[in-house]
């Protein structure tokens, strides 16, 4: 007879605890404490597989879809570096930027990179002609203050709003290699800006 195989009490093959409440896992008896530890470890491993690509900001990655995850990771990195360049380039000696649409001045770390043609347009997402420092009220609450943004762009360069509107109609998608090259270039630009004696955060 194989009494141990059907018993709920026995010796745990993991921790060695004797005559304790166990569960049968395959051919082994494992105490309930060790079962909980193993179950937790498996859940953590599965979660890590879904989210192991850094910077996905809550988007779960399905196993077998790592190429798409890698692309999104590059885009997230580009957004961060590009935004910092936009704000640092416009910062004065005190590190303050002026909102392009309302003129509010704030430290560059407290201001955003506002897009005239929205970020979903990949042809202009990282185009310096299209992106300027903008306060959170104008950029988020007031949906970009597009009329004021357009007027300011027109002042800076005649015909720019129309040029950007025309280019925004082009369906465009960067290759992975293009994204990587762009990220290398932007990181080099950012290092130069951060090397200047401006108060950074």
């Amino acid at each position: 007879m194989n009494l141990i195989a059907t018993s709920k009490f026995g010796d745990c093959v993991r921790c060695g605890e004797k005559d304790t409440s166990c569960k049968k896992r395959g051919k082994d008896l494992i105490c309930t404490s060790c079962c909980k530890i193993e179950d937790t470890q498996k859940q953590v491993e599965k979660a890590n597989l879904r989210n192991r690509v850094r910077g996905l900001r809550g988007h779960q990655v399905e196993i077998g879809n790592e190429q798409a995850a890698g692309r999104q990771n590059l885009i997230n990195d580009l957004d961060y570096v590009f935004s910092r360049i936009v704000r640092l380039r416009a910062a004065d000696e005190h590190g303050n930027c002026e909102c392009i649409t309302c003129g509010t001045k704030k430290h560059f770390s407290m201001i955003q990179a506002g897009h005239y043609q929205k970020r979903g347009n990949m042809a202009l997402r990282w185009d310096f002609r299209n992106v300027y420092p903008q306060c959170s009220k104008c950029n988020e609450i007031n949906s970009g203050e597009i009329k004021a943004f357009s007027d300011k762009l027109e002042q800076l360069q005649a015909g720019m709003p129309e040029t950007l509107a025309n280019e925004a109609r082009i369906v465009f998608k960067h290759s992975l290699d293009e994204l990587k090259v762009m990220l290398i270039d932007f990181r080099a630009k950012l290092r130069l800006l951060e090397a200047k004696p401006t108060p950074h955060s």
Side-chain angles (χ1 to χ4, degrees), residues 21-129:
S21 177
C22 293
K23 292 182 180 180
K24 191 176 180 186
R25 295 281 172 94
K27 295 182 179 180
D28 298 326
L29 284 179
I30 304 174
C31 71
T32 53
S33 294
C34 288
C35 284
K36 288 180 180 178
I37 292 172
E38 286 190 355
D39 291 343
T40 300
Q41 288 175 339
K42 288 178 181 179
Q43 290 173 358
V44 169
E45 287 173 0
K46 288 181 180 179
N48 286 339
L49 283 174
R50 291 193 301 267
N51 302 294
R52 61 187 173 190
V53 179
R54 180 175 57 86
L56 288 182
R57 298 178 182 177
H59 295 291
Q60 292 192 339
V61 182
E62 296 296 334
I63 299 171
N65 196 27
E66 292 183 18
Q67 184 175 2
R71 181 182 183 84
Q72 185 60 51
N73 188 45
L74 281 169
I75 289 172
N76 292 339
D77 285 346
L78 276 163
D79 284 343
Y80 171 80
V81 175
F82 180 75
S83 170
R84 194 168 175 86
I85 291 172
V86 167
R87 292 174 289 132
L88 278 174
R89 289 203 322 174
D92 61 20
E93 66 273 15
H94 303 294
N96 295 319
C97 291
E98 182 176 313
C99 174
I100 189 172
T101 45
C102 74
T104 297
K105 282 191 174 182
K106 291 185 178 182
H107 191 265
F108 79 89
S109 63
M110 302 297 292
I111 209 158
Q112 300 177 359
H115 291 66
Y116 177 63
Q117 293 294 334
K118 298 305 180 184
R119 290 193 336 155
N121 189 299
M122 301 306 289
L124 297 171
R125 186 169 182 143
W126 304 295
D127 191 320
F128 291 107
R129 300 171 303 161

